[in-house]
Amino acid sequence: MTVLEMQNVVKDYRLRNGLRSTTLRAVDQVSFTLQPGRTIALVGQSGSGKSTIAKLLMQLERPTSGAILVDDEPMVYRGTRASKYRKAVQMVFQDPFASLNPYHTVGHHLARPIRLHHTGLSSEQVEKRVLDLLRRVRLDPAEDYAQRKPHELSGGQRQRVAIARALAPEPGILVADEPVSMLDVSIRLGVLNLLATLQREENLGVLYITHDLATARHFSDEVMVLYRGEVVEHGPADDVILHPQHDYTRLLANAAPDPERRLAELQR
Ligand code: ADP
Ligand code: MG
């Protein structure tokens, strides 16, 4: 189990055009704590800084200032503690088509992280874990799916493989950056329900990044609204979405007029 915390995190990008350089503040004084077994939805329109926060948590970027704490200790980027962290925090990306290699089987995609993170397992033990992961993401019969190549899967099935791969190192935290926005509307709810089930069963902390307030409310304990890199609202999901305090949250809510109806549409 992992507790992840951001404290006043700032991320500036230096933009050069010609001889001049300007600074773009992509993330501005962001603070939150993600506890095991909790889901925080990070919502905001395109360009608000959501993916930059994901990159900071995945160690693909470093904060300009502020602190990221892991179980109360400052994040480190090298050495044993860093590799423990990279195992504990896993990511599900937006595009299930880009994230899998067309030449490798599903089994291969899952065996790799298992071998990497659990050295010394026999081939049979790896195989057993592969099948177990496929069953956990409800790809059954697992033996059949393990043999398949990505092009033999639907978008939703690919995203389930991506989720299984993220679970392979046995993480405490899952960062899901718009995990269903590229999927067919009819299968979105199935994938989100799977994430919710796994989150409950495995006591994961989930950062669910989305611009969809309806699913944010339905699948999260807390909602955090990001506007131009800043958290403008953060609280229990129902409070934030039913009684938004900030104009920008109201604007987002109006862009998706009725969360209940949107959800009903998804469930049809
Ligand atoms: P979101 O995921 O909410 O759409 P991003 O985090 O991707 O937003 O981007 C936030 C802001 O930071 C945007 O203005 C984007 O153009 C800028 N940005 C993101 N990555 C970089 C980068 N590597 N270099 C310069 N600017 C960037
Ligand atoms: Mg993004």
Side-chain angles (χ1 to χ4, degrees):
M1 284 198 290
T2 311
V3 179
L4 199 56
E5 192 174 352
M6 278 196 165
Q7 285 180 348
N8 306 313
V9 168
V10 171
K11 177 65 191 177
D12 288 337
Y13 286 114
R14 179 72 47 88
L15 304 176
R16 284 187 194 82
N17 57 69
L19 292 173
R20 288 197 207 160
S21 97
T22 52
T23 302
L24 182 131
R25 182 147 293 186
V27 174
D28 193 1
Q29 300 282 343
V30 166
S31 302
F32 66 87
T33 305
L34 180 56
Q35 301 281 357
R38 302 276 293 176
T39 298
I40 300 181
L42 179 59
V43 302
Q45 63 190 179
S46 173
S48 57
K50 304 183 299 295
S51 292
T52 304
I53 288 177
K55 286 180 201 159
L56 289 162
L57 295 176
M58 297 314 294
Q59 300 196 330
L60 300 170
E61 297 283 2
R62 297 204 191 188
T64 305
S65 65
I68 302 177
L69 303 182
V70 186
D71 295 329
D72 294 326
E73 307 236 21
M75 170 100 95
V76 290
Y77 295 84
R78 282 156 195 264
T80 330
R81 258 202 326 120
S83 40
K84 247 167 95 180
Y85 174 82
R86 283 193 285 268
K87 185 175 143 166
V89 180
Q90 293 292 316
M91 174 114 181
V92 177
F93 295 93
Q94 183 175 18
D95 187 353
F97 296 91
S99 64
L100 302 178
N101 184 326
Y103 299 105
H104 291 310
T105 62
V106 166
H108 178 94
H109 277 95
L110 299 182
R112 239 183 122 249
I114 291 171
R115 288 210 182 85
L116 200 70
H117 291 287
H118 306 93
T119 45
L121 292 182
S122 70
S123 301
E124 292 77 49
Q125 285 170 317
V126 172
E127 167 84 12
K128 198 167 160 287
R129 278 177 186 245
V130 166
L131 298 178
D132 178 54
L133 280 171
L134 287 170
R135 288 186 198 108
R136 267 152 80 197
V137 297
R138 279 60 171 178
L139 288 175
D140 234 345
E143 292 80 0
D144 170 26
Y145 282 100
Q147 305 299 323
R148 292 202 201 178
K149 296 265 180 70
H151 73 267
E152 297 168 297
L153 302 174
S154 70
Q157 290 167 339
R158 284 176 200 224
Q159 202 59 319
R160 284 168 193 264
V161 174
I163 293 168
R165 180 174 54 183
L167 293 177
E170 293 170 11
I173 304 251
L174 220 52
V175 178
D177 192 355
E178 313 235 19
V180 298
S181 63
M182 293 190 65
L183 301 180
D184 216 70
V185 172
S186 62
I187 57 170
R188 286 184 185 173
L189 212 62
V191 172
L192 289 174
N193 277 325
L194 170 68
L195 279 172
T197 306
L198 292 167
Q199 187 256 2
R200 258 195 325 272
E201 287 174 357
E202 325 209 355
N203 207 27
L204 294 169
V206 176
L207 187 68
Y208 170 46
I209 299 177
T210 182
H211 53 255
D212 181 16
L213 287 185
T215 59
R217 179 183 169 207
H218 189 72
F219 288 98
S220 311
D221 304 299
E222 298 165 37
V223 170
M224 193 157 65
V225 180
L226 204 61
Y227 176 64
R228 296 192 177 176
E230 246 182 289
V231 175
V232 293
E233 202 153 351
H234 181 184
D238 279 355
D239 287 4
V240 170
I241 290 178
L242 298 179
H243 312 288
Q245 298 301 305
H246 198 275
D247 285 344
Y248 175 66
T249 315
R250 282 188 210 116
L251 210 71
L252 271 183
N254 288 340
D258 183 351
E260 295 292 354
R261 208 199 64 217
R262 279 270 295 108
L263 204 65
E265 276 170 14
L266 282 172
Q267 271 159 345
R268 261 213 303 269

